[in-house]
């Protein structure tokens, strides 16, 4: 069995993927038949099969296209795919991840990128390659509360942060179930954006910042029955991910009360809509700061328009768009986008990215 699949099930998944992939790539029937016979023999002889680079590249792009929760799928064909399946040592894996960060960051002109490691054998413990630590203290949480359990795991492995609100966590890499290894990320490849506001000078005094590139690193990429358990990937941020969630959620950085206070808003009752006013200005600050720093970002209105173009393109290609409505609607003013008023079929189509159980929990 491979990844919990019987050989029969693996062949079924492989056949479906190869047929669709090669059809989309414009291969003729003879080429498809020949490749399917190669894959079938390989599965019968070895119990698994290996993707060609062409299959890996297009499969990863298809997985982005099929990602029900992603509003940024218009750009699925631009994904840069790095094949790191030959890499085995943790130190070499870390170097490839550092390269991914630098390449994707591109001095702010962010490039959608994925680095794919050997299936089933490599795990990256980080949720994102770049993420801030979170510490529980008697005075409350310092840093990002969503990172508390992973921060504790890093500390148990010997890491010590400076205990600020923005300590970049190290990479934790595990191969073949061995003891995981820690790798601090070089500071010179982590681009961070200081957050300021175009009108409120005091905003700078909040000393907020966020990293440029969100690189998801704990999901499994599944292509044709093969499970790539380490395949970190990134696009660029939609502003609300930072301004309406990371900074605004009361269980994350919880900045709305502070911003409302600085704005002089009446917070004595909900009906003053102080949260809404503070939330808008926080999102204005995030978008303004990223654009000022020359870092790629998209606002939620533009992202929704881009998603509408994606839907039109998929319809023209004869493909049905699947989606998770609750994830596709932005967390700020969702009813102002067409997505809010649409129905989406949340059926999972493969290739795709899947959540995995965290190794440290």
């Amino acid at each position: 069995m491979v990844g919990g699949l019987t050989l029969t099930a693996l062949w079924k998944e492989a056949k479906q993927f190869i047929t669709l992939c090669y059809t989309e790539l414009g291969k003729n029937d003879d080429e498809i038949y020949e490749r399917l016979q190669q894959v079938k023999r390989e599965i019968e002889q070895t119990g698994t099969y290996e993707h060609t680079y062409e299959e890996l590249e297009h499969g990863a792009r298809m997985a982005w296209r099929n990602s029900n929760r992603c509003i940024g799928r218009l750009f699925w064909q631009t994904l840069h795919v790095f094949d790191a399946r030959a890499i085995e040592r943790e130190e070499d894996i870390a170097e490839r991840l550092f390269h991914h960060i630098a390449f994707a960051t591109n001095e702010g002109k962010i490039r959608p990128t994925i680095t794919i490691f050997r299936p089933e054998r490599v795990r990256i413990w980080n949720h994102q390659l770049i993420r801030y630590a979170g510490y529980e203290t008697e005075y409350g949480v310092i840093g990002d509360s969503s990172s508390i359990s992973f921060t504790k795991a890093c500390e148990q492995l010997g890491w010590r942060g400076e205990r600020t609100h923005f300590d970049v966590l190290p990479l934790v890499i595990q191969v073949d179930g061995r003891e995981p290894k820690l790798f601090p990320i070089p500071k010179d490849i982590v681009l961070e954006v200081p957050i300021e506001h175009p009108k409120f000078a005091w905003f700078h005094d909040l000393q907020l910042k966020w990293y440029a590139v969100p690189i998801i690193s704990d999901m499994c990429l599944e292509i044709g029955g093969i499970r790539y358990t380490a395949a970190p990937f990134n696009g660029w941020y939609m502003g609300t991910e930072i301004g309406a969630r990371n900074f605004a959620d009361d269980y994350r950085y919880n900045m709305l009360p502070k911003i409302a206070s600085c704005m002089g808003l009446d917070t004595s009752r909900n009906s003053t809509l102080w949260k809404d006013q503070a939330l808008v200005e926080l999102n204005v600050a995030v978008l303004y700061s990223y654009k000022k720093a020359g870092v790629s970002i998209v606002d939620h209105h533009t992202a929704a328009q881009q998603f509408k173009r994606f839907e039109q393109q998929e319809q023209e290609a004869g493909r049905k768009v699947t989606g998770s409505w609750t994830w596709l609607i932005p967390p700020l003013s969702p009813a102002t986008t067409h997505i809010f008023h649409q129905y989406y079929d949340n059926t999972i189509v493969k290739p795709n990215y899947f959540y995995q159980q965290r190794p440290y929990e």
Side-chain angles (χ1 to χ4, degrees), residues 305-333:
Q305 291 171 347
Q306 291 170 345
F307 189 72
K308 192 169 188 176
R309 284 171 55 199
F310 168 74
E311 293 176 275
Q312 292 166 348
Q313 286 184 4
E314 290 301 286
Q315 185 177 15
E316 291 167 2
R319 291 188 291 263
K320 184 179 179 181
V321 174
T322 56
S324 174
W325 184 88
T326 55
W327 277 76
L328 290 174
I329 57 169
L332 180 64
S333 306

Side-chain angles (χ1 to χ4, degrees), residues 38-56:
Q38 289 175 349
V39 169
K40 189 174 184 180
R41 284 195 301 270
E42 197 174 342
I43 291 174
E44 289 171 347
Q45 292 170 7
T46 69
T48 186
Y49 74 104
E50 187 174 303
H51 290 126
T52 66
Y53 176 75
E54 188 176 40
E55 293 162 3
L56 192 74

Side-chain angles (χ1 to χ4, degrees), residues 36 95 104 134 202-203 241 270 311 316 321 343:
L36 285 174
E95 286 301 319
W202 49 261
F203 215 101
E241 295 177 84
N270 289 330
E311 293 176 275
E316 291 167 2
V321 174
Y343 166 79

Side-chain angles (χ1 to χ4, degrees), residues 116-182:
I116 304 173
F117 295 95
R118 187 165 293 192
E120 302 281 0
R121 293 182 56 187
V122 182
R123 285 298 302 271
I124 300 166
W125 284 22
N126 308 62
H127 168 55
Q128 296 182 20
L129 294 187
I130 302 168
R131 192 76 159 177
Y132 296 124
Y135 310 95
E136 288 178 314
T137 76
E138 58 184 306
Y139 306 106
V141 174
I142 295 174
D144 193 342
S145 59
S146 70
S147 297
I148 288 174
S149 60
F150 179 58
T151 301
K152 288 179 179 177
C154 291
E155 290 176 331
Q156 288 171 359
L157 291 170
W159 179 77
R160 291 293 178 268
E162 297 178 12
R163 301 184 83 78
T164 75
H165 285 294
F166 301 102
D167 291 353
V168 175
L169 287 157
L171 299 179
V172 179
I173 299 166
Q174 187 173 29
V175 178
D176 291 334
R178 297 194 294 260
E179 186 72 15
K181 292 188 178 181
L182 283 173

